[in-house]
């Protein structure tokens, strides 16, 4: 498709508000409240309206049109349509819900969703993610702009890590100055859950690794110093990128999130192995091997400085696992009760108490399934709840295929693969991707990677878009 100046300028302008939203969302306790869902939905919709309106006025075509997104957006639309079905007054189609408190009592609902208002909010969130994905695909269809965008996301995450350490160590172990009520001694940034912050940092650590690999293996896109000194200490050099990465790894340890650290290590190591699988110069390969050995070294350094609570939590893995397995068993009972229809988007917090019983602690409020996979199936049923997994799986397959076919290193594609691995691993036992600020970063990275793999199908087309 031909270069269009209006489209090029518009995409350049959209980078900043989109990156700003991704940066600001974590400060609002991870954007876990409906007021912030509405705020971000409004701002992202305004960005979308500006894009669609100005493209129409300029009579320009999208660089990556809707037809290129037909399959993933078709599946995405099917999930959205089912959420609408869940809030329609057709509750008679769903079986009555038993309750542990009184097995003889059966609870009926006018809608399939037990909480249709919350399902409507879930629809708003999912719609926001879909529009964000589309917008990021447009602005990152230019490889140079895509790299700038990824660097903005990377340094935004590094800044969040720095802020979290300051509030942990210098400002009384608070959440942005607000006294904590749990997770004492853990870095949390603007989040109210250390595991969600850990996933957020793990995404950043994957970006950092891949940015360093690119700097070692490829010439800068812009004019710059390509000498050994310039590569490591010049603008965007490995040392500068590595300083941010060091902060991220240490902060990741300081969150005291066991699975968050493990998922981050998986994403980083996988990125390095993918890079080693490609042909590179001998000097570059040595640099990649050094990074591979640096991961356990830096993790150990973090444990020496911040690992007391983390190591104590490692000792309680067995006990925590027993509780989680009991919880998962009860969530599977929920799924068995409504395997096709589910209990409604965002309804887990209200549906689970109907199944909650000992030995899962009754002293705690279990408002999350602590497994995004189980949460999706409990809320949307096995068919529609699997659609997000299918979409992510399709993107993973396309990215893997593009990386195999590419003639050289592909940093953006590798970022997407590593990020998916982090999310897939941590989502097994936690709910980070149910936190909007984390999902924004996840969607932004995936969209950037997807746009690059699409470009690889048409090698040689212009850098200007």
């Amino acid at each position: 498709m031909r270069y269009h100046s209006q489209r090029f300028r518009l995409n350049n302008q959209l980078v900043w508000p989109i990156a700003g939203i991704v940066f600001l969302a974590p400060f609002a306790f991870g954007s876990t409240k409906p007021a912030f869902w509405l705020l971000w939905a409004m701002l992202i919709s305004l960005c979308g309206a500006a894009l669609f309106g100005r493209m129409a006025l300029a009579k320009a075509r999208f660089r990556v049109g809707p037809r290129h997104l037909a399959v993933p957006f078709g599946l995405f639309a099917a999930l959205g349509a089912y959420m609408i079905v869940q809030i329609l007054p057709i509750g008679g189609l769903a079986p009555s819900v038993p309750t542990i408190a009184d097995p003889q009592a059966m609870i009926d609902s006018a809608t399939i969703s037990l909480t249709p208002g919350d399902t409507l909010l879930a629809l708003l969130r999912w719609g926001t993610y879909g529009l964000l994905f589309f917008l990021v695909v447009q602005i990152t269809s230019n490889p140079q702009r895509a790299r700038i965008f990824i660097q903005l996301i990377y340094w935004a995450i590094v800044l969040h890590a720095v802020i979290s350490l300051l509030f942990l160590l210098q400002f009384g172990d608070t959440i942005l100055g607000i006294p904590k009520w749990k997770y004492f001694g853990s870095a949390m940034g603007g989040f109210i859950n250390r595991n969600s912050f850990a996933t957020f940092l793990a995404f950043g650590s994957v970006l950092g690794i891949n940015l360093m690999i690119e700097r070692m293996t490829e010439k800068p896109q812009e004019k710059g110093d390509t000498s050994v000194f310039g590569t490591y200490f010049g603008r965007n050099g490995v040392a500068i990128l590595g300083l941010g990465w060091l902060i991220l790894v240490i902060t990741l340890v300081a969150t005291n999130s066991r699975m968050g650290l493990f998922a981050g290590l998986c994403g980083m190591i996988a990125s390095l192995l993918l890079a080693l699988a490609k042909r590179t110069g001998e000097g570059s390969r040595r640099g990649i091997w050094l990074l591979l050995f640096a991961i356990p070294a830096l993790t150990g350094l973090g444990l020496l400085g911040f690992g007391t609570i983390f190591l104590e939590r490692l000792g309680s893995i067995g006990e925590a696992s027993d509780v989680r397995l009991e919880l998962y068993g009860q969530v599977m009972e929920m799924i068995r009760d409504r395997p096709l229809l589910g209990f409604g988007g965002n309804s887990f917090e209200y549906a689970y108490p109907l199944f909650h019983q000992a030995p899962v602690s009754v002293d705690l409020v279990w408002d999350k399934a602590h497994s995004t996979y189980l949460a999706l199936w409990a809320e949307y049923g096995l068919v529609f709840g699997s659609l997000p997994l299918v979409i992510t799986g399709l993107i993973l397959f396309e990215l893997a295929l593009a990386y195999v076919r590419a003639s050289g290193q592909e940093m953006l594609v590798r970022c997407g693969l590593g990020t998916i691995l982090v999310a897939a691993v941590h989502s097994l036992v936690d709910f980070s991707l149910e936190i909007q600020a984390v999902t924004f970063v996840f969607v932004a990275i995936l969209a950037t990677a997807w746009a690059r793999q699409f470009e690889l199908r048409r090698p040689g087309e212009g850098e200007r878009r």
Side-chain angles (χ1 to χ4, degrees):
M1 185 179 295
R2 291 179 299 173
Y3 164 73
H4 195 290
S5 60
Q6 179 71 1
R7 181 181 63 211
F8 180 78
R9 286 194 301 270
L10 181 56
N11 284 333
N12 279 344
Q13 293 164 2
L14 277 178
V15 167
W16 303 103
I18 295 298
I21 290 170
V22 173
F23 171 66
L24 292 174
F27 287 115
F29 291 153
S31 295
T32 57
K33 300 301 180 183
F36 292 104
W37 303 341
L38 294 170
L39 173 63
W40 305 132
M42 180 183 70
L43 294 178
I44 292 174
S45 295
L46 286 174
C47 292
L51 176 68
F52 286 102
R54 290 174 63 181
M55 289 281 285
L57 289 173
K59 296 182 180 179
R61 296 176 62 185
F62 290 112
R63 181 62 201 169
V64 182
R67 65 186 180 87
H68 299 120
L69 293 152
V71 174
F73 266 65
L75 296 173
F76 192 83
L79 176 60
Y82 182 62
M83 291 186 205
I84 296 174
V85 171
Q86 286 187 317
I87 62 179
L88 294 176
I90 53 174
L93 297 177
S96 300
V97 184
T99 171
I100 291 297
D102 183 1
Q104 301 304 316
M106 302 295 286
I107 298 175
D108 294 307
S109 174
T111 58
I112 292 174
S113 172
L114 296 189
T115 55
D118 290 278
T119 302
L120 187 60
L121 288 172
L123 177 61
L124 174 74
R125 288 205 319 277
W126 282 92
T128 303
Y129 301 148
L131 180 56
L132 176 64
F133 186 93
F134 183 81
L135 293 177
V136 174
V137 165
Q138 301 309 314
I139 65 179
T140 58
S141 59
N142 177 305
Q144 292 182 356
R145 194 188 302 119
R147 283 170 171 79
I148 292 172
F149 183 74
I150 282 295
Q151 288 180 13
L152 287 173
I153 299 299
Y154 172 64
W155 288 113
I157 298 174
V158 171
L159 183 55
H160 276 280
V162 172
I163 291 171
S164 73
L165 289 179
L166 286 174
F167 279 99
L168 174 66
L169 302 174
Q170 298 297 321
F171 298 108
D173 190 13
T174 59
I175 303 174
L176 303 181
I178 300 171
K180 288 182 180 178
W181 55 95
K182 57 181 178 179
Y183 303 132
F184 301 104
S186 298
M188 295 174 63
F191 290 78
I192 56 174
N193 180 278
R194 63 185 167 203
N195 294 312
S196 301
F197 186 45
T199 305
F200 182 78
L201 295 173
F203 290 159
S205 68
V206 169
L207 297 185
I209 278 284
N210 284 295
L211 286 168
M212 286 189 287
I213 293 172
E214 182 187 49
R215 192 67 178 91
M216 289 188 294
T217 59
E218 299 180 18
K219 293 183 178 179
Q221 295 294 314
E222 69 281 355
K223 292 181 180 179
D225 188 354
T226 58
S227 66
V228 173
F229 182 85
T231 298
Y232 284 87
F233 299 101
R235 182 184 175 187
N236 291 325
V238 175
I240 304 300
L241 295 167
L243 178 60
W245 179 63
L246 171 64
I247 293 171
L248 286 173
V249 174
I250 290 177
T251 310
L252 183 55
V253 173
T255 64
N256 297 311
S257 172
R258 296 165 299 200
M259 200 63 174
L261 177 60
F262 177 73
L265 292 174
C266 288
M268 289 186 282
I269 292 171
S271 296
L272 290 166
L273 293 178
L274 285 170
L276 288 170
K278 290 283 188 177
R279 298 180 65 179
T280 58
E282 190 60 33
S284 297
R285 291 186 73 84
R286 283 197 296 268
I288 295 172
W289 277 109
L290 283 174
L291 284 177
L292 189 59
F293 289 118
I295 291 176
L298 289 183
T299 303
L301 180 65
L303 289 171
L304 284 175
F306 301 96
T308 303
I309 298 175
F310 183 89
L311 294 174
E312 289 176 356
R313 296 194 72 231
L314 281 180
S316 62
I317 283 181
E319 181 181 350
S321 298
D322 291 340
V323 174
R324 288 290 179 88
L325 289 174
E326 293 291 346
L327 170 64
Y328 297 155
Q330 293 177 14
V331 175
M332 283 189 257
E333 286 292 334
M334 292 177 62
I335 297 170
R336 278 193 286 269
D337 260 35
R338 287 190 175 185
L340 296 179
L341 299 177
F343 289 87
N346 209 36
S347 291
F348 180 87
E349 179 180 357
Y350 307 96
Y352 176 66
L354 302 176
F355 297 83
H356 185 188
Q357 59 182 316
V360 179
S361 174
V362 295
D363 297 328
L364 301 174
V365 176
W366 297 90
D367 58 348
K368 303 289 185 183
H370 290 269
S371 170
T372 298
Y373 303 95
L374 293 179
L376 288 170
W377 294 327
E379 293 182 352
Y380 303 107
L382 292 173
V383 175
F384 290 98
S386 296
L387 291 183
L389 309 180
V390 173
I391 294 169
T392 306
L394 286 174
I395 293 174
L396 175 65
F397 175 77
E398 289 181 334
L399 293 181
L401 193 61
Y403 192 74
V404 170
R405 289 178 174 176
S407 58
Q409 299 284 349
E410 286 295 336
M411 180 271 290
L412 296 174
V413 175
R414 215 169 40 239
C415 284
L417 293 170
T419 298
I420 290 176
L421 180 59
V422 169
V425 170
H426 206 183
S427 293
L428 287 169
V429 295
D430 226 303
F431 52 83
S432 295
L433 285 185
E434 298 168 54
I435 305 300
Q436 190 172 62
V438 179
T439 308
F440 278 165
V441 176
F442 179 71
V443 170
I445 296 172
L446 253 62
T448 304
W450 195 90
R452 181 59 185 149
Q453 68 85 29
F454 173 78
E455 188 61 27
L456 289 171
R457 300 177 190 172
R458 303 176 300 183
E461 290 204 8
E463 296 283 300
R464 300 168 63 204
R465 295 184 183 89

